[in-house]
Amino acid sequence: MRISLFIAIVLLAGCLAGIIHGLVNLALVEPYLDKAIGIENQHKFASGDAKNTPQFWAEYYSYRAWQKGGQLLAGAILGTSIGALYGIIFGYTRNILPGNNFVKKALVLAAIMWITLYLIPFAKYPANPPTVGDPATILLRQTLYVSFIAISGFGALGFYQVYKRLKNKKFLAFLGYAGLVIVTFVAMPQNPDAITAPMDLINGFRAVSIVGVSTFWLAIGLILGVLWQKMQPDKVKQSKFQ
């Protein structure tokens, strides 16, 4: 393995996928955030927590412009971080992943990680816009979501080890993982916050959130697969003097 080349293509794939994710969020997610924050602002005005003044709106638009402007940078940083994990796993599993080229193998791994680290936890704790949720429960909600991700991710890793050791009846590993997910889904508590925002806003936000995250995993699979196929960092070039 040419380590420097491996690190370069892994980080580049994650960074580019993160930027793509940021662009999708700007185009699809931000309009829903604007609506949700607008509702939240009206609640603040009604309760007296804030005053509907030109100064308030000047500060608000300045803050939102800063938030939107940072989408690409935030996406690049997050994508690079996730890409590092994804690349390490791909480096270890590339020879056993299904597919006759590295692009297909990378897409298979991306699909597996999308399902285990995002789709399954999302089914239990779907994304909500800012107007949903009591600030006092943020830590609890984050803990529940991260815990589900950890259980799903480490569970998949554990049952993969079981899968490798089973000579026959390998389907038992898949059944075991499915059982773990079902038990976790039932046992873990529901989101503690009631939804008071319009359901069309909630459902629309969740739909575009799925599109955004799915785009990231598709992009990182394609980009890393193409770079790996072209650069082949796992093949050490032979010296012409040998």
Side-chain angles (χ1 to χ4, degrees):
M1 180 76 74
R2 288 175 282 172
I3 300 299
S4 59
L5 180 58
F6 166 75
I7 294 174
I9 67 172
V10 164
L11 296 183
L12 178 61
C15 181
L16 292 177
I19 292 173
I20 292 172
H21 183 209
L23 289 171
V24 173
N25 280 348
L26 279 175
L28 300 181
V29 179
E30 283 296 334
Y32 285 92
L33 289 179
D34 285 334
K35 293 179 183 178
I37 297 174
I39 294 174
E40 194 173 40
N41 287 337
Q42 295 303 318
H43 289 164
K44 289 180 179 179
F45 298 151
S47 65
D49 291 338
K51 294 183 179 180
N52 189 355
T53 64
Q55 181 182 0
F56 173 88
W57 289 110
E59 293 176 355
Y60 166 75
Y61 286 122
S62 175
Y63 175 69
R64 287 295 288 145
W66 174 82
Q67 274 191 325
K68 293 178 181 181
Q71 277 278 8
L72 299 186
L73 177 60
I77 294 173
L78 180 61
T80 302
S81 302
I82 298 176
L85 173 64
Y86 171 75
I88 291 172
I89 295 174
F90 183 77
Y92 277 108
T93 62
R94 67 190 184 281
N95 293 326
I96 59 175
L97 287 167
N100 55 10
N101 61 61
F102 288 119
V103 177
K104 293 180 180 179
K105 289 175 179 288
L107 286 172
V108 168
L109 179 61
I112 292 172
M113 294 183 70
W114 172 73
I115 292 171
T116 57
L117 300 182
Y118 175 70
L119 191 61
I120 290 175
F122 183 92
K124 177 68 176 181
Y125 300 115
N128 287 322
T131 190
V132 176
D134 185 343
T137 66
I138 289 178
L139 180 59
L140 173 60
R141 285 181 278 134
Q142 290 178 337
T143 301
L144 291 174
Y145 184 65
V146 172
S147 297
F148 206 126
I149 292 176
I151 293 171
S152 179
F154 284 112
L157 182 61
F159 280 103
Y160 165 68
Q161 297 299 324
V162 174
Y163 175 87
K164 288 198 303 182
R165 287 166 172 75
L166 289 174
K167 295 183 179 179
N168 299 312
K169 299 183 179 180
K170 289 182 177 292
F171 68 91
L172 291 176
F174 293 98
L175 291 179
Y177 176 71
L180 173 66
V181 168
I182 292 172
V183 169
T184 303
F185 195 96
V186 173
M188 291 192 71
Q190 296 291 331
N191 190 318
D193 293 323
I195 295 178
T196 57
M199 284 309 301
D200 59 336
L201 172 63
I202 301 297
N203 292 332
F205 177 81
R206 290 173 178 175
V208 295
S209 296
I210 292 175
V211 171
V213 176
S214 301
T215 300
F216 169 79
W217 285 108
L218 176 61
I220 197 171
L222 282 172
I223 295 171
L224 182 65
V226 169
L227 290 175
W228 199 291
Q229 188 75 28
K230 183 177 180 61
M231 305 295 185
Q232 297 190 11
D234 52 339
K235 289 187 177 180
V236 180
K237 293 183 178 180
Q238 296 293 326
S239 172
K240 62 181 179 180
F241 298 108
Q242 292 180 338

